Amino acid sequence: MIIIENVAVATVDADGTEYADGHVVVGDDGRILAVGPGHAGRYQGKQRHVDGTGGLVTPGLVNTHHHLYQWATRGLALNDTLFGWLTTLYPIWGRLDAEVVGAAAGAGLGWLALSGCTTSMDHHYVFPRDGGDVLAAEIEAARLIGLRFHPARGSMDLSRKDGGLPPDNVVEDTDEALAATEAAIDRWHDPSDDAMLQIAVAPCSPFSVTERLMSEAATLARRKGVRLHTHLAETDDEEAFCQERFGCTPVEYAERLGWLGDDVWLAHGVHLDDKAIERLGATGTGVAHCPSSNARLGAGMARVRELLDHRVPVGLGVDGAASQEVSHLGAELRQALYTARLRGGPGALDAREALRMGTMGGARCLGRSDQIGSLERGKLADLVLWKLDDLGHDGIDDRVAALVFGPPAEVELALVGGRPVVERGSLVHADARELAREARRVARKLRKT
Ligand SMILES: [Zn+2]
């Protein structure tokens, strides 16, 4: 049992309940036993007491879009658009193997945990023929770090010779991609309430995937009862590609192929017209908002205010570390706030809405809102105690404002299912320097070969 007391608590429940001085009690079953104002009651049995003075407890952050392998190719194509950046990187990614992906995932997930993330998805869509079991490698990395993990088995089957963007050697055969996706679900997907590992089906994007793979992937996911994810409406170039090839917008294309629904969440959703936003809201289709990546690639600013007003589930994502070298989910709270305000003025988003996107919004995207995303009795104890009594946050009395408006806060304690994964700004199960060393080694290998 873990009892955190003398601490501000933002539960992010449906009413937005907060306690300026409260407590959270975590049971031995890894679930929240109590959350409320003042001190915790008396409990029997072995207990660990945590004094949270000066801090804030929130639900753990949920990362809804990422490509962990990209940790091995950070800092390249620094001044390109998405299509230029992809064209530079595809040939390097064509040499990926399980060793590279495992080490990159270790670094990426370790860094995410240190940034306040307790659940992450990963969208992996590059499967070189002789690259080994790259999905197993990243799942092993997530187990090591201790995060709840939702890898999405991606795929590409539309190469340059067929009018797509990727070169021929990084795409898969359509039927092989579908079979491998189904095999990944059968092998890894855990449908249980407290699952640490769930698989999603995730063809990459309209310009790298055929219509047949998109529609058959949707059929597969629904037959298996797993979620669907893809990139959509990220850039003007993609919009032009869809208009030219399919004669419609990306969202119309998605709807035509059965890709709108409450079991789908889409990465980016930057270039959406009013009708598209209405369709996303009406169908319950989620959006992984990645404001730092959109800024890094100059893709544009998503219409987050309008999405929220249309009841679209919106989560936050750091996106791959090669298109957003910061990759810090805690920092993404402020980036989301700032991006919304650059578009729509200071009333466009507040600190609590940003925190809700980073927690409950993400849980909704991943289909886990009954289990994670808020601090409520009986839910899984995925939570973060943020340290806010340091120089960077001093004097901002509103603790949620301090977290979101202030600099990225250090994680004093992060729990996943009640198990500590970060303590006093350090990983519990891995050494950050060792993760960095391994990631550097594979990045060198990848770029040399
Ligand atoms: Zn992406």
Side-chain angles (χ1 to χ4, degrees), residues 65-67 70 123 125 229 231 234 267-268 290 293 319-320 323:
H65 189 62
H66 209 347
H67 312 287
Q70 290 182 11
H123 187 184
Y125 53 84
H229 181 66
H231 293 95
E234 182 176 359
H268 302 298
C290 307
S293 170
D319 205 357
S323 72

Side-chain angles (χ1 to χ4, degrees), residues 68-79:
L68 288 164
Y69 73 88
Q70 290 182 11
W71 196 276
T73 56
R74 300 166 90 202
L76 303 176
L78 287 162
N79 304 310

Side-chain angles (χ1 to χ4, degrees), residues 235-252:
T235 64
D236 285 327
D237 287 340
E238 179 194 327
E239 170 89 20
F241 179 93
C242 287
Q243 289 292 356
E244 191 183 307
R245 192 176 172 97
F246 313 119
C248 62
T249 68
V251 168
E252 287 167 347

